[in-house]
Amino acid sequence: MQKHSRANEFRRKRVTSRLFLGSIVFIFLNTFPSFGQPLPRFYDAIALADPASFLKVPANWTYADSLLIHPEKPNSVRTIPGKKYLVGKPGESLLPKFNARNFRLFLGYVLSPGASALLTLPGGATILLSEGRNLPEHVQSGFTGLPPIQDAGKMAGLLQTVELDYESFLPSQNGKVRINELKINGIVVQQGQYLTHDNATPLSLQVIQGTIGVNRLGYREFEDRRPIRLQNLTYKIYNDDWDSRTTNLLGESGSSPELTYQVADGKKTFNLVYEGDLIVEEDGDYDFMTIYTGAYCQLSIDENVVLDTDNSNSQEVQDTNVRLEKGNYRVKLWYSKLPWANAALGLRVGKSGIRPYDLHAKASLPEPPAKPFITVSPGKGKAEMVRSFVQLPFENHKRTHCISVGSPLGRNYTLDLNRGALLQVWKGRFANTTEMWHQRGERQLLIPVGQNEILSGRSSIARLNTADAPWTDSSAVNFLDYRVNDQGELTFRFALGPSLFQDAVSATESGLQRTITPERNASTANYVLLAEGYRITQIEKGLYVVDGKYYIKTKNGASPLLRKNDQLEELIAPLASPLSYSILW
């Protein structure tokens, strides 16, 4: 029995995250704290609370501890004094003291209803920041003038992020720059765009309309340095079986000026072991990546195994992080070729401030065979469903009895039938099924294609002796069957003890609507888990925001109970009569 998987993940995050668990409720408004979220790894923070981080803080930019935003009321934005947010309104741009020309940028922000802003890059290109509305006339977040791959924006009042990889090809002042990748809320929306370079245009953020609150700003500057190299490489080719994990049958040996599988080219299968010197010219935490097609690949530094991975069918990237001081080390790389696949072997290294670069010969990592991108999409006016395995990011096991449903409205979800648990919801395109249907890979996972929100993952229905009893998550919830209507929407049937329930989920323009109805033996001891998170805040009667990620909106006069469970908060509601609520994001 898997208990409290989501709660365990929250607890793990508490190691590095400060929680804000106050109980203040602002009626009609969304109190929106930063939750002490750290920047992603390797980003250097630009201190928002320090005016010295900027050329100046214009009068239309103010400081706040939190923003109070109603998702449907543009003129209801309020702030609480403090220093966690920089809050901007239309007027002058905010200009960080930032002169990098090769960098990754991270921005965390929240918008009021109808708000938009422009992030101007060195060189003059702009990125529009807006809500995600799924409306034909709505201009989506992304590069202005170039439609993004999909609308990855979120509703007003919810936390959003931008991640940008910007690479300059100077020294020529008239040189080009390339936007390697642009992510909105973790979703790649644009890639590989070349732009002209203009040293006179600084990085800036300008509010076009409404209000924006910035709660995180960071960067990772890259320099053109290569502080690690390989030399004095020798190799041995063994004829042991490709899956034996042994090196007893030496075939041949020699030296090589560079790392390449081609010293054994022409052999159907082999074990190739390289040894040599790893020259480290500066201290640092280094990311080592093996990229290969083979049975396994093992990397050792000074006889310590730092990376050991198994079967890779299509040059998958495996990585590890190793702290190294300046000096010389002995390195060993052991690679086994699969008998049915073309060889490919690469070793890459990077660290904070240095883009990853190759330590292998270019020919050792040829372009892999084209791998199809197999997707499933709903039909016109009808939802689509797929049974599959699903693995949540914070779990080390696969959920084996899952069904995912995609709607023509672009609002999709996954339900764990074993526990009656709503696992995730996402907007946009439906499902990537490549792992499931291409060469029958090992993991066999369905991957959401659109902007995804991970939910609690615990059973949605439980029987509690009292309203403050701990939530139970087990196989006590038994799946019976499901029914499909003419639009392809599903109604599931579950049993919990003597009680039977119908669970109907349908898509709307802005989210999902769920109605759970007692079918037999209704009881006041039955409850529904609507949401779980660090902080769940009531905006107004029947409307709640969960960790700034999504909204819960109840219907039919439901009276949810907001309670604490250890360091988390839960929103539960009695299930003695039909209960309807929406998940909006």
Side-chain angles (χ1 to χ4, degrees):
M1 180 174 67
Q2 181 73 17
K3 296 187 65 177
H4 303 291
S5 58
R6 185 59 168 161
N8 289 338
E9 169 64 7
F10 282 125
R11 294 182 184 105
R12 286 196 294 272
K13 287 184 178 179
R14 292 210 315 270
V15 174
T16 57
S17 299
R18 179 183 174 191
L19 302 183
F20 300 88
L21 293 172
S23 58
I24 299 175
V25 173
F26 296 87
I27 304 301
F28 303 111
L29 295 166
N30 174 7
T31 178
F32 191 58
S34 67
F35 302 108
Q37 290 185 334
L39 286 166
R41 184 166 171 256
F42 284 148
Y43 282 101
D44 296 321
I46 296 176
L48 298 176
D50 185 0
S53 299
F54 307 92
L55 295 180
K56 73 170 183 176
V57 179
N60 55 306
W61 289 85
T62 57
Y63 285 102
D65 189 72
S66 61
L67 273 71
L68 312 178
I69 298 174
H70 190 289
E72 298 173 349
K73 299 180 180 180
N75 298 320
S76 297
V77 179
R78 291 173 51 194
T79 59
I80 294 176
K83 288 283 190 175
K84 295 187 180 71
Y85 278 82
L86 261 174
V87 182
K89 295 185 177 180
E92 290 188 61
S93 299
L94 185 69
L95 283 78
K97 290 181 179 177
F98 182 83
N99 297 315
R101 287 298 182 267
N102 274 287
F103 61 87
R104 288 187 65 91
L105 184 74
F106 184 94
L107 173 69
Y109 62 98
V110 59
L111 297 169
S112 66
S116 61
L118 280 180
L119 178 65
T120 300
L121 307 177
T126 56
I127 296 172
L128 176 70
L129 309 180
S130 66
E131 300 172 72
R133 298 186 184 179
N134 285 353
L135 299 176
E137 68 276 11
H138 172 58
V139 180
Q140 302 172 1
S141 294
F143 286 118
T144 55
L146 180 66
I149 296 171
Q150 60 176 292
D151 182 4
K154 299 177 69 173
M155 291 180 65
L158 298 179
L159 272 174
Q160 303 199 61
T161 61
V162 165
E163 289 184 82
L164 171 75
D165 189 325
Y166 181 99
E167 185 172 4
S168 172
F169 299 99
L170 295 178
S172 170
Q173 194 172 30
N174 297 320
K176 297 286 186 179
V177 298
R178 181 175 65 202
I179 306 302
N180 292 322
E181 186 175 76
L182 173 64
K183 289 183 179 179
I184 305 291
N185 295 318
I187 299 298
V188 177
V189 297
Q190 279 146 335
Q191 288 179 307
Q193 184 179 8
Y194 285 85
L195 308 168
T196 57
H197 186 85
D198 175 9
N199 278 327
T201 304
L203 180 75
S204 65
L205 180 63
Q206 181 183 25
V207 182
I208 304 304
Q209 56 185 357
T211 301
I212 185 173
V214 177
N215 75 326
R216 287 183 291 171
L217 182 59
Y219 69 96
R220 179 182 181 182
E221 186 173 0
F222 295 108
E223 297 180 14
D224 188 17
R225 293 183 291 111
R226 297 194 170 191
I228 278 186
R229 68 182 189 275
L230 294 174
Q231 66 182 33
N232 302 325
L233 288 175
T234 62
Y235 67 86
K236 293 180 180 179
I237 301 171
Y238 295 89
N239 297 323
D240 298 76
D241 291 341
W242 61 273
D243 57 351
S244 65
R245 283 272 185 173
T246 58
T247 53
N248 297 319
L249 305 176
L250 179 62
E252 59 183 271
S253 61
S255 61
S256 175
E258 52 190 354
L259 185 69
T260 174
Y261 77 85
Q262 291 178 312
V263 294
D265 204 11
K267 293 181 178 292
K268 184 177 181 180
T269 181
F270 56 82
N271 282 267
L272 172 61
V273 178
Y274 271 100
E275 294 189 61
D277 295 324
L278 184 72
I279 312 301
V280 180
E281 295 178 348
E282 59 186 66
D283 301 348
D285 294 310
Y286 289 90
D287 288 317
F288 286 90
M289 291 151 271
T290 55
I291 314 99
Y292 65 97
T293 299
Y296 48 84
C297 189
Q298 184 185 88
L299 176 67
S300 301
I301 299 177
D302 275 358
E303 298 185 353
N304 296 310
V305 176
V306 298
L307 187 59
D308 190 357
T309 54
D310 288 321
N311 193 60
S312 172
N313 288 305
S314 185
Q315 298 188 20
E316 287 86 3
V317 178
Q318 318 289 342
D319 61 7
T320 189
N321 183 261
V322 183
R323 176 69 184 179
L324 295 175
E325 307 298 327
K326 181 179 178 180
N328 294 357
Y329 300 81
R330 290 297 293 174
V331 66
K332 178 180 177 180
L333 186 68
W334 177 7
Y335 164 69
S336 175
K337 180 186 178 298
L338 291 167
W340 60 82
N342 293 329
L345 174 62
L347 180 62
R348 190 169 292 155
V349 66
K351 65 175 290 224
S352 180
I354 300 172
R355 291 185 185 277
Y357 61 92
D358 294 341
L359 296 175
H360 59 267
K362 185 175 182 180
S364 185
L365 200 64
E367 286 294 323
K371 188 176 181 180
F373 180 57
I374 304 173
T375 62
V376 176
S377 300
K380 185 176 182 180
K382 189 172 183 178
E384 181 65 68
M385 57 182 172
V386 178
R387 297 285 292 268
S388 72
F389 299 152
V390 169
Q391 186 166 356
L392 299 183
F394 53 86
E395 294 182 341
N396 57 14
H397 69 282
K398 293 187 289 191
R399 307 262 186 151
T400 58
H401 292 70
C402 298
I403 188 167
S404 297
V405 181
S407 165
L409 297 176
R411 299 288 175 164
N412 319 300
Y413 67 93
T414 298
L415 191 76
D416 182 349
L417 298 176
N418 269 348
R419 291 184 172 83
L422 200 57
L423 301 183
Q424 56 189 352
V425 297
W426 68 97
K427 59 175 287 189
R429 297 174 63 186
F430 179 36
N432 175 1
T433 56
T434 305
E435 280 201 7
M436 297 169 55
W437 297 337
H438 177 62
Q439 297 182 350
R440 304 296 293 175
E442 180 184 344
R443 284 159 55 82
Q444 294 283 297
L445 298 177
L446 178 142
I447 308 297
V449 178
Q451 187 269 313
N452 193 25
E453 294 298 332
I454 304 297
L455 306 181
S456 166
R458 297 200 287 162
S459 300
S460 296
I461 305 170
R463 182 179 291 268
L464 307 179
N465 293 328
T466 63
D468 58 356
W471 193 263
T472 58
D473 178 38
S474 72
S475 56
V477 178
N478 295 312
F479 169 66
L480 301 177
D481 57 36
Y482 59 77
R483 302 163 185 170
V484 185
N485 66 14
D486 292 340
Q487 288 74 46
E489 297 173 335
L490 274 65
T491 298
F492 306 91
R493 296 177 69 245
F494 294 97
L496 177 63
S499 301
L500 266 62
F501 306 93
Q502 295 183 20
D503 184 359
V505 185
S506 59
T508 67
E509 291 286 350
S510 54
L512 294 171
Q513 179 174 310
R514 189 181 194 188
T515 301
I516 303 179
T517 305
E519 181 181 314
R520 190 177 71 193
N521 295 330
S523 170
T524 56
N526 294 329
Y527 286 82
V528 173
L529 178 64
L530 303 177
E532 177 185 65
Y534 287 119
R535 174 180 285 185
I536 302 173
T537 303
Q538 184 176 2
I539 301 171
E540 60 186 15
K541 184 176 180 180
L543 183 61
Y544 303 80
V545 63
V546 183
D547 287 345
K549 296 180 178 180
Y550 59 92
Y551 296 104
I552 295 291
K553 187 173 185 179
T554 60
K555 300 180 181 180
N556 301 335
S559 301
L561 171 66
L562 182 58
R563 65 181 199 169
K564 287 190 176 181
N565 172 21
D566 194 9
Q567 297 297 318
L568 304 180
E569 294 188 343
E570 298 171 340
L571 187 66
I572 67 173
L575 191 54
S577 59
L579 173 72
S580 291
Y581 70 99
S582 296
I583 304 173
L584 311 172
W585 71 100

